[in-house]
Amino acid sequence: MRIFRYTFSLFMFAWLTAGAQTDNLDNGGIRLGFDISRIAVPFLEEGRVEYDGSVDLRINKDLYPVIEIGWGDFETEGMNFLYRSTGFSLRTGIDKNYLKKDNVNNMGMFFAGVRYGVSFFKHESTDLKISDPYWGDFSGAIPMKNMNAHWLEFSTGIRAKIFNNIYLGWSLRGRLLLYKSDDLNMSPNYIPGFGKVNGRTNLGFRYSVFYQLPL
Amino acid sequence: MDFRRVCFLYITGFCLLFFSCESEKICEQSTVSKLNAGFYLVQDSIPEAASVDSFTVYGIGRADSLIYDQANSVSSFVLPLSHSVDTTGFVLTLGTETDTITFLYSRELHLLSMECGFATYYYIESVDNTSNVIDSVRVVNEKVTTGDDENIQIYL
């Protein structure tokens, strides 16, 4: 319920700010973004820390190529072990804006887009214990191993100017895992940038603040 | 479509999404790897499942702890392989006759799932046995996991 209230207030904020678009005179088409919803992640899920930023660029009235860079670290307690996965992600793609703009310099958006994501990360298991009443309990570890993964990420959302060069917006992400490194001992439980691995698909949410470079 | 209407549609969609919360999962499978063995007799060159009476088994080095104790009508049984070393031996008594079987294998830790944890998978490399009552031992599936597939056939 707490999660619900938290997200609802974000929507209300987006809703209110969306109506507050003002004219502006700059021509800059490059925006830097920082995903502020990541700040809440460690509070919602213990052991999970993420940072995420983006650069997007307007190439014409409706098309915005984007690069997103993230870092993630996830530690969790499994049944008889501790698991840790940590590393970087890079997503590149393009968003198309469907919002009829009232001002060419306003980069407010209702968008849908696609990204190709790749992550380079490491994972390990420690404190691994298997109980064996006959031969005696076993304890061990799976040493840290370099892994990588690729996925397709579909995004949609809204973005609104709140004042001068500052924008706020949220987006919903649907991800489709295309490849993950093989590990005979364990399949990755968490891929930075992709999230928890539970099958091949995953849903995500981002709420970001953007700064439009004054060019 | 007007911007506010788009926002409204999105908000309702999101609310539905966040109601579908993740719940704690529990492990619903066997987490113990065991070697599955069956008894067979060859009759008219056709192998047939056999059952034995007064069947006793213990691990070599664990004579104080019987895995099966004078069990009757045993046609299949399971053996626990060691998680710590690459060889495990067992002493089998069938009635009044006794044989030993020793397995050589490689081990691999395998993550079943976060909620079930790790299990040891074994790959049988060779089997040594004495032949007082056992005729031969055949490995039919060298991979020993948490499943129920038969790994070895013991011919009497």
Side-chain angles (χ1 to χ4, degrees):
Chain A
M1 210 49 213
R2 203 181 55 187
I3 298 174
F4 172 68
R5 212 173 298 151
Y6 170 76
T7 50
F8 187 72
S9 62
L10 290 180
F11 295 133
M12 286 311 290
F13 193 37
W15 167 271
L16 291 170
T17 55
Q21 299 171 61
T22 52
D23 292 346
N24 83 320
L25 301 168
D26 61 70
N27 287 307
I30 297 176
R31 245 184 327 209
L32 306 179
F34 177 68
D35 182 356
I36 51 177
S37 66
R38 296 307 97 189
I39 296 166
V41 165
F43 300 99
L44 296 172
E45 189 165 10
E46 207 187 318
R48 185 166 172 175
V49 180
E50 294 175 343
Y51 299 102
D52 218 274
S54 68
V55 183
D56 71 331
L57 165 75
R58 181 175 56 186
I59 54 168
N60 71 26
K61 201 160 70 63
D62 296 323
L63 290 177
Y64 293 72
V66 58
I67 296 174
E68 297 172 329
I69 295 163
W71 179 83
D73 184 87
F74 180 61
E75 274 183 82
T76 189
E77 203 174 318
M79 181 56 204
N80 53 7
F81 64 103
L82 296 174
Y83 177 81
R84 184 173 180 211
S85 174
T86 182
F88 292 91
S89 72
L90 180 74
R91 287 102 57 197
T92 60
I94 196 158
D95 286 326
K96 182 164 170 36
N97 187 12
Y98 292 96
L99 189 67
K100 298 262 187 298
K101 285 187 286 287
D102 51 357
N103 182 319
V104 286
N105 290 321
N106 191 334
M107 286 163 66
M109 300 168 86
F110 157 49
F111 66 91
V114 65
R115 287 140 181 67
Y116 185 78
V118 55
S119 175
F120 297 96
F121 62 105
K122 298 185 278 195
H123 74 167
E124 66 174 348
S125 280
T126 51
D127 269 9
L128 197 163
K129 292 184 183 71
I130 298 175
S131 73
D132 179 347
Y134 200 77
W135 295 109
D137 292 351
F138 171 83
S139 64
I142 308 287
M144 201 158 243
K145 188 176 173 187
N146 287 317
M147 305 283 287
N148 67 76
H150 308 239
W151 65 94
L152 269 184
E153 184 161 332
F154 301 94
S155 70
T156 182
I158 57 172
R159 197 168 298 171
K161 173 174 281 191
I162 49 166
F163 52 82
N164 292 336
N165 295 344
I166 305 296
Y167 292 75
L168 270 174
W170 55 260
S171 69
L172 176 63
R173 305 299 174 95
R175 306 184 181 104
L176 175 67
L177 191 61
L178 302 175
Y179 169 83
K180 60 177 195 268
S181 305
D182 267 340
D183 184 337
L184 288 174
N185 298 120
M186 55 184 185
S187 184
N189 181 253
Y190 170 86
I191 297 170
F194 181 83
K196 292 282 191 64
V197 184
N198 197 355
R200 290 186 65 198
T201 59
N202 185 347
L203 281 177
F205 174 73
R206 299 198 173 276
Y207 192 87
S208 303
V209 59
F210 300 90
Y211 175 68
Q212 185 179 359
L213 295 180
L215 299 176
Chain B
M1 214 183 330
D2 147 74
F3 189 66
R4 277 168 192 278
R5 197 173 299 164
V6 169
C7 286
F8 180 73
L9 284 173
Y10 269 63
I11 288 165
T12 37
F14 259 97
C15 293
L16 289 173
L17 179 79
F18 278 85
F19 268 124
S20 56
C21 283
E22 211 175 301
S23 56
E24 277 295 302
K25 289 183 198 141
I26 51 161
C27 181
E28 285 173 338
Q29 69 169 99
S30 166
T31 60
V32 179
S33 276
K34 58 212 181 307
L35 185 143
N36 300 300
F39 286 117
Y40 292 85
L41 272 174
V42 179
Q43 285 183 337
D44 305 328
S45 1
I46 298 162
E48 274 180 21
S51 88
V52 300
D53 289 330
S54 189
F55 176 61
T56 299
V57 184
Y58 61 86
I60 292 174
R62 291 300 318 272
D64 56 327
S65 180
L66 302 180
I67 300 163
Y68 289 84
D69 185 6
Q70 301 282 323
N72 288 323
S73 307
V74 176
S75 57
S76 64
F77 61 102
V78 299
L79 294 173
L81 299 177
S82 166
H83 294 276
S84 308
V85 292
D86 290 337
T87 177
T88 307
F90 298 92
V91 177
L92 281 66
T93 304
L94 288 82
T96 54
E97 302 269 19
T98 293
D99 272 316
T100 61
I101 299 186
T102 304
F103 300 95
L104 262 163
Y105 46 81
S106 60
R107 288 171 288 135
E108 176 187 294
L109 288 165
H110 184 80
L111 179 61
L112 301 169
S113 66
M114 294 306 275
E115 56 275 15
C116 294
F118 278 90
T120 307
Y121 281 4
Y122 304 87
Y123 298 87
I124 300 171
E125 282 163 3
S126 68
V127 183
D128 259 0
N129 64 279
T130 59
S131 291
N132 295 318
V133 61
I134 294 172
D135 177 74
S136 61
V137 177
R138 194 159 84 92
V139 178
V140 288
N141 179 8
E142 80 281 2
K143 190 174 179 182
V144 177
T145 68
T146 58
D148 296 323
D149 289 346
E150 189 172 67
N151 299 110
I152 61 163
Q153 296 182 336
I154 298 175
Y155 289 89
L156 301 173

